[in-house]
């Protein structure tokens, strides 16, 4: 690395009473070769060096491109998951709003059954089924089990509500529809006969029969309103009492 060191101490005559010392070539001589060397590249020709450096640069560009592609793909996946989660949240929020509206309509229908409310209930259930389809489409890939459970429970609830509506429709929403209309149509002639007998000075049996008949009609109204087991039992008891009273009543057979 260095040439032979030469050290020469030259003593000059003192000037103004001092000695001057000069140190010549006391430090190592720097080499003309570069400190950093790749070794193999040093032995290559200039053309080979240029080609090698170009290849290394190309590999670097490819590596940077691959890293950029992988990073961008990951970011795209994250963005897609974020959009899916946002869409699912919006769909579930809309579904929750519709379910609350359905619950309010159901309570109103149970308190006072009517054909308009039944129509609104049917429309609300259809809207929920449509919204549930959107939720299922979005959530099937994200939360398949929860989505399947939600779909099953919603279908069961809709089935129960439709059964209630069908039953109430069969019973009748008022005195002019369903079985209620038929019951009234059957009871009106009985009430007319009893009224006629009372107007014509009917006996005690007619008065007793009229009272029992009114009790039976009241039990019928309670059964239609409440539908509880004890109310149904009271109606059956009143119906049996009316039949026994009618059998014992002193009335012409054609009247009975």
């Amino acid at each position: 690395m260095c040439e032979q060191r030469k050290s020469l101490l030259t003593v000059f005559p003192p000037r103004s009473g001092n000695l001057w010392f000069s140190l010549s070539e006391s430090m190592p001589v720097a080499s003309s070769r570069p400190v950093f060397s790749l070794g193999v590249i040093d032995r290559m020709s200039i053309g080979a060096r240029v080609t090698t450096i170009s290849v290394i640069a190309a590999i670097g560009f490819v590596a940077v491109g691959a890293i950029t592609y992988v990073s961008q793909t990951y970011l795209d996946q994250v963005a897609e998951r974020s959009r899916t989660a946002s869409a699912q949240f919006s769909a579930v929020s809309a579904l929750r709003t519709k379910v609350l509206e359905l619950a309010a309509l159901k309570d109103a229908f149970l308190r006072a059954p009517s054909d308009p409310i039944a129509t609104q209930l049917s429309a609300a259930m259809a809207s929920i089924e449509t919204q549930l389809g959107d939720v299922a489409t979005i959530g099937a890939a994200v939360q398949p089990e929860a989505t399947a459970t939600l779909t099953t429970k919603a279908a069961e609830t809709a089935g129960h509500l439709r059964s209630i509506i069908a039953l109430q429709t069969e019973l009748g929403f008022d005195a002019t529809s369903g079985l209620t209309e038929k019951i009234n149509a059957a009871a009106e002639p009985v009430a007319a006969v009893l009224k006629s007998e009372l107007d014509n000075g009917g006996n005690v049996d007619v008065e007793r029969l009229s009272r029992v008949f009114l009790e039976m009609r009241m039990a019928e109204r309670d059964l239609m309103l409440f539908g509880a087991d004890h109310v149904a039992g009271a109606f059956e008891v009143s119906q049996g009492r009316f039949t026994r009273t009618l059998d014992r009543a002193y009335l012409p057979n054609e009247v009975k």
Side-chain angles (χ1 to χ4, degrees), residues 110-132:
L110 293 179
R111 285 194 304 267
S114 66
D115 187 60
I117 298 180
T119 302
Q120 294 178 27
L121 271 174
S122 299
M125 285 187 288
S127 178
I128 286 177
E129 289 173 349
T130 301
Q131 186 65 36
L132 189 60

Side-chain angles (χ1 to χ4, degrees), residues 109 160-173:
F109 183 79
H160 294 324
L161 284 176
R162 287 191 173 96
S163 297
I164 293 174
I165 293 174
L167 180 59
Q168 187 61 53
T169 302
E170 183 180 3
L171 291 174
F173 296 113

Side-chain angles (χ1 to χ4, degrees), residues 157-220:
T157 302
H160 294 324
L161 284 176
R162 287 191 173 96
S163 297
I164 293 174
I165 293 174
L167 180 59
Q168 187 61 53
T169 302
E170 183 180 3
L171 291 174
F173 296 113
D174 51 34
T176 62
S177 63
L179 292 176
T180 304
E181 181 184 12
K182 295 179 180 179
I183 292 174
N184 291 333
E188 286 175 0
V190 177
V193 170
L194 292 175
K195 183 177 182 303
S196 177
E197 291 294 325
L198 288 174
D199 292 342
N200 294 327
N203 54 30
V204 176
D205 290 340
V206 175
E207 295 178 357
R208 184 182 298 112
L209 188 61
S210 299
R211 184 174 63 252
V212 173
F213 177 75
L214 291 176
E215 292 174 355
M216 185 180 67
R217 294 306 307 272
M218 291 299 297
E220 171 204 322

Side-chain angles (χ1 to χ4, degrees), residues 36-47:
F36 175 74
S37 175
L38 295 177
V40 176
I41 296 180
D42 285 346
R43 293 192 293 272
M44 294 180 178
S45 64
I46 295 177

Side-chain angles (χ1 to χ4, degrees), residues 1-252:
M1 294 291 292
C2 302
E3 298 179 359
Q4 182 181 4
R5 295 182 179 183
K6 295 181 181 181
S7 179
L8 179 63
L9 183 63
T10 306
V11 179
F12 293 89
R15 294 180 182 180
S16 303
N18 296 322
L19 294 177
W20 285 14
F21 297 93
S22 175
L23 184 63
S24 174
E25 297 182 356
S26 61
M27 300 298 291
V29 177
S31 173
S32 60
R33 292 173 58 83
V35 177
F36 175 74
S37 175
L38 295 177
V40 176
I41 296 180
D42 285 346
R43 293 192 293 272
M44 294 180 178
S45 64
I46 295 177
R49 292 182 185 182
V50 172
T51 302
T52 303
I53 294 174
S54 299
V55 170
I56 293 174
I59 293 173
F61 287 135
V62 171
V64 171
I67 294 173
T68 302
Y69 173 77
V70 172
S71 300
Q72 187 61 44
T73 301
Y74 176 76
L75 291 176
D76 291 342
Q77 292 174 351
V78 171
E80 181 62 26
R81 287 196 295 268
S82 177
R83 286 192 294 269
T84 301
S86 178
Q88 186 181 23
F89 177 79
S90 299
V92 171
S93 297
L95 178 62
R96 179 178 181 274
T97 301
K98 293 179 182 297
V99 168
L100 292 176
E101 293 174 354
L102 179 65
L105 286 172
K106 182 261 298 180
D107 293 339
F109 183 79
L110 293 179
R111 285 194 304 267
S114 66
D115 187 60
I117 298 180
T119 302
Q120 294 178 27
L121 271 174
S122 299
M125 285 187 288
S127 178
I128 286 177
E129 289 173 349
T130 301
Q131 186 65 36
L132 189 60
D134 296 340
V135 173
T137 300
I138 299 172
V142 182
Q143 295 177 325
E145 295 181 359
T147 302
T149 301
L150 181 62
T151 303
T152 301
K153 295 299 182 182
E156 292 177 356
T157 302
H160 294 324
L161 284 176
R162 287 191 173 96
S163 297
I164 293 174
I165 293 174
L167 180 59
Q168 187 61 53
T169 302
E170 183 180 3
L171 291 174
F173 296 113
D174 51 34
T176 62
S177 63
L179 292 176
T180 304
E181 181 184 12
K182 295 179 180 179
I183 292 174
N184 291 333
E188 286 175 0
V190 177
V193 170
L194 292 175
K195 183 177 182 303
S196 177
E197 291 294 325
L198 288 174
D199 292 342
N200 294 327
N203 54 30
V204 176
D205 290 340
V206 175
E207 295 178 357
R208 184 182 298 112
L209 188 61
S210 299
R211 184 174 63 252
V212 173
F213 177 75
L214 291 176
E215 292 174 355
M216 185 180 67
R217 294 306 307 272
M218 291 299 297
E220 171 204 322
R221 293 292 187 274
D222 291 341
L223 179 62
M224 297 294 291
L225 289 174
F226 306 109
D229 292 339
H230 69 280
V231 178
F235 173 75
E236 292 178 357
V237 169
S238 64
Q239 187 179 26
R241 184 182 300 117
F242 177 80
T243 302
R244 292 191 300 271
T245 304
L246 180 61
D247 291 339
R248 293 195 299 264
Y250 183 73
L251 290 170

